[in-house]
Amino acid sequence: MSYEPPTPPVNLPTEIVNTLNESDPERLRDVATYAEALAEHKEREARLEESADQEEGKERPNDLPDNVPSKATITIKEINNNRYYYWQWRDGDKVRSQYKGPVNSDE
């Protein structure tokens, strides 16, 4: 009784098929484990990139300056008893701010 080896996928490059055919069962299992983990990693990266692209597609507020990211929020700072709006966002470990304008006294 003889068993035929599995047929490789047609889109698998010949050099990879040849390398796999020359490998022992332990190496083949290592390759399978690594290939599965790598596929999951690449799929996750693609989902994150797609998610980031969708975030970029969201509409920016009209008064948001070009150099301020859309994730910025407005905060109020009081300086010398005067209140001012600032755009504020996180950039890595730092918090960045950019002046927006004075707070109107009737707000």
Side-chain angles (χ1 to χ4, degrees):
M1 183 189 250
S2 99
Y3 293 101
E4 293 294 316
T7 303
V10 293
N11 62 345
L12 201 57
T14 303
E15 59 271 13
I16 292 177
V17 172
N18 291 340
T19 300
L20 293 173
N21 284 335
E22 295 167 3
S23 299
D24 63 35
E26 185 178 347
R27 168 128 331 134
L28 289 171
R29 289 193 195 334
D30 290 343
V31 168
T33 300
Y34 172 70
E36 186 63 35
L38 184 60
E40 288 176 11
H41 170 76
K42 289 188 175 220
E43 288 169 345
R44 184 173 46 253
E45 290 290 313
R47 285 192 306 271
L48 289 173
E49 189 173 307
E50 182 180 307
S51 174
D53 289 346
Q54 289 174 353
E55 285 293 319
E56 287 177 14
K58 287 185 179 175
E59 198 171 302
R60 292 171 58 90
N62 290 336
D63 59 346
L64 186 63
D66 289 338
N67 58 340
V68 173
S70 59
K71 63 182 177 182
T73 59
I74 295 177
T75 60
I76 298 175
K77 294 184 180 183
E78 189 167 323
I79 303 170
N80 296 329
N81 293 324
N82 294 307
R83 295 172 46 169
Y84 303 96
Y85 288 119
Y86 280 83
W87 292 106
Q88 199 167 58
W89 66 97
R90 185 166 289 285
D91 184 12
D93 291 339
K94 297 181 178 181
V95 174
R96 306 276 185 195
S97 295
Q98 182 170 322
Y99 178 75
K100 182 179 184 314
V103 174
N104 293 333
S105 59
D106 58 342
E107 289 183 27

